Amino acid sequence: MTNTAVNGEKTEPGIKAIRLRHPWRNTFAVVLLLIVALFVADAAMRPAYDWPAVGKYLFDQRISQAAFVTLQLTVYSMIIAIILGVTLAIMRLSPNPVVNSIAWVYLWVFRGTPVYVQLVFWGLIGTIYQSIDIGLPFTEPWVSFPTRVALSAFVLAIVGLALNEAAYMAEIVRAGLLSVDSGQEEAATALGMSWFQTMVRVIVPQSMRVIIPPAGNEVISMLKTTSLVTAIPFTLELYTRSRDIAAVTFDTVPMLIVASIWYLFFTSILMVGQYFLEKRFARGIGDRRPDKKADDATASVAGAMTGVIPVVGSGQPTVVLPPTDPRADSSKGER
């Protein structure tokens, strides 16, 4: 405690603030950095990783084409899954018991069985249904297509991934729609909005802040789930293509590293896009800006200072006015 002097006058004793020390936290951070450094140094010198082979195959034409196919599988499957998931979510919220039950059974089947088993089933669809017939039941079909010709392995992979993902997207969308207070829909109806206008202008924009985070995780998960389409079998995606190359060159570990680098590259782009989408749809919700906090605190203090406070024993209330604006006319006095 020390006394300070300003213009020759002594002031109140000052308080010397001492930063709180965290020796164990710093020690733990140093240990972690040493472990990471040792792992990187060991990986750089370990011959099994074969970094020259990683650099050789990282931008190989076969790998880059397989990476593009993986990206196509992810995008096409997610588009179908989102459309079907929204439809299933609306069906789950429907008061019609038949519609609701059909959606529930769909979710039960596709969420209750492994995606690998489903993809194997779709790979055998040509054995179960030899042709796709279009026409009236119990009559000669108008048009008939052989299943193996009409549905390629690429199409079957998209269908299998999309149908499985739609079950999870339906629950995500349903949770987002239920997160919006029912009073919002009632207010929109009172304003004369139709059901479609209410959903598009009121319900969906507010539910997006709840839907975006888990939906972004599902997109990233779909990117990695594409490695399972070898069950169909479809062999042109990234993981299977790198595995086939490794079977010829006997460089299994380097090819796994190459595939992992491409997966990490796509995942990083998706994570950045998810961050900006979350920021876009979370505007005005839980604002953490310091200046806003200060403004809100000032407003709350002003509101707390406004009102009528009874004075004990006087029999008359005392009126407390809010703080006046310093820019206001100085001629205005207190009432």
Side-chain angles (χ1 to χ4, degrees), residues 13-327:
I15 299 177
K16 183 180 180 181
I18 300 176
R19 182 186 294 273
L20 184 62
R21 301 183 183 277
H22 301 280
W24 290 110
R25 180 190 300 176
N26 297 333
T27 303
F28 185 67
V30 171
V31 171
L32 286 180
L33 289 176
L34 287 176
I35 293 175
V36 172
L38 289 174
F39 175 80
V40 172
D42 178 76
M45 297 181 295
R46 193 167 292 273
Y49 289 112
D50 196 359
W51 295 107
V54 173
K56 174 182 177 182
Y57 289 103
L58 184 60
F59 297 104
D60 186 273
Q61 184 177 2
R62 293 167 294 179
I63 294 296
S64 58
Q65 289 177 349
F68 180 69
V69 171
T70 296
L71 196 59
Q72 284 182 304
L73 287 173
T74 303
V75 173
Y76 296 156
S77 300
M78 284 307 303
I79 291 175
I80 298 173
I82 291 173
I83 295 174
L84 184 56
V86 172
T87 304
L88 288 169
I90 295 174
M91 292 173 64
R92 287 279 286 124
L93 297 175
S94 172
N96 189 318
V98 176
V99 174
N100 189 302
S101 300
I102 291 174
W104 185 88
V105 171
Y106 181 96
L107 300 183
W108 174 62
V109 171
F110 283 92
R111 293 174 65 194
T113 54
V115 61
Y116 191 86
V117 174
Q118 296 175 27
L119 292 174
V120 172
F121 177 85
W122 285 107
L124 297 174
I125 198 70
T127 304
I128 302 172
Y129 301 99
Q130 287 77 21
S131 62
I132 300 175
D133 300 328
I134 300 176
L136 296 176
F138 309 108
T139 62
E140 279 296 321
W142 302 336
V143 183
S144 181
F145 302 99
T147 303
R148 295 186 181 276
V149 176
L151 300 176
S152 63
F154 181 74
V155 173
L156 289 174
I158 293 175
V159 170
L161 292 173
L163 292 181
N164 176 265
E165 184 60 34
Y168 297 93
M169 286 302 303
E171 290 297 279
I172 292 173
V173 173
R174 186 172 71 94
L177 296 177
L178 291 176
S179 68
V180 181
D181 190 83
S182 59
Q184 299 285 333
E185 184 176 358
E186 294 173 1
T189 304
L191 292 174
M193 289 187 180
S194 64
W195 178 87
F196 182 78
Q197 290 175 326
T198 302
M199 293 297 294
V200 173
R201 299 183 181 182
V202 179
I203 305 299
V204 173
Q206 295 184 68
S207 64
M208 288 300 290
R209 65 183 180 86
V210 178
I211 295 174
I212 290 296
N217 292 336
E218 289 299 317
V219 175
I220 294 173
S221 177
M222 173 63 74
L223 176 69
K224 296 176 290 185
T225 307
T226 55
S227 61
L228 299 178
V229 296
T230 182
I232 284 182
F234 181 72
T235 60
L236 298 180
E237 51 82 31
L238 180 58
Y239 168 70
T240 308
R241 196 65 174 144
S242 62
R243 188 187 62 183
D244 293 343
I245 296 175
V248 176
T249 62
F250 300 102
D251 290 330
T252 305
V253 175
M255 296 310 302
L256 287 176
I257 296 176
V258 168
S260 299
I261 291 174
W262 276 100
Y263 282 123
L264 285 172
F265 173 70
F266 289 139
T267 301
S268 301
I269 295 176
L270 293 174
M271 291 175 66
V272 172
Q274 178 183 349
Y275 168 77
F276 284 106
L277 279 177
E278 290 182 13
K279 187 177 180 181
R280 168 68 176 80
F281 285 100
R283 292 183 305 175
I285 305 296
D287 205 338
R288 297 182 176 87
R289 290 183 299 171
D291 55 339
K292 289 288 291 180
K293 277 190 174 181
D295 295 342
D296 294 342
T298 303
S300 63
V301 171
M305 294 293 292
T306 304
V308 178
I309 303 176
V311 179
V312 178
S314 65
Q316 297 293 332
T318 300
V319 179
V320 180
L321 297 177
T324 58
D325 191 345
R327 294 172 296 181

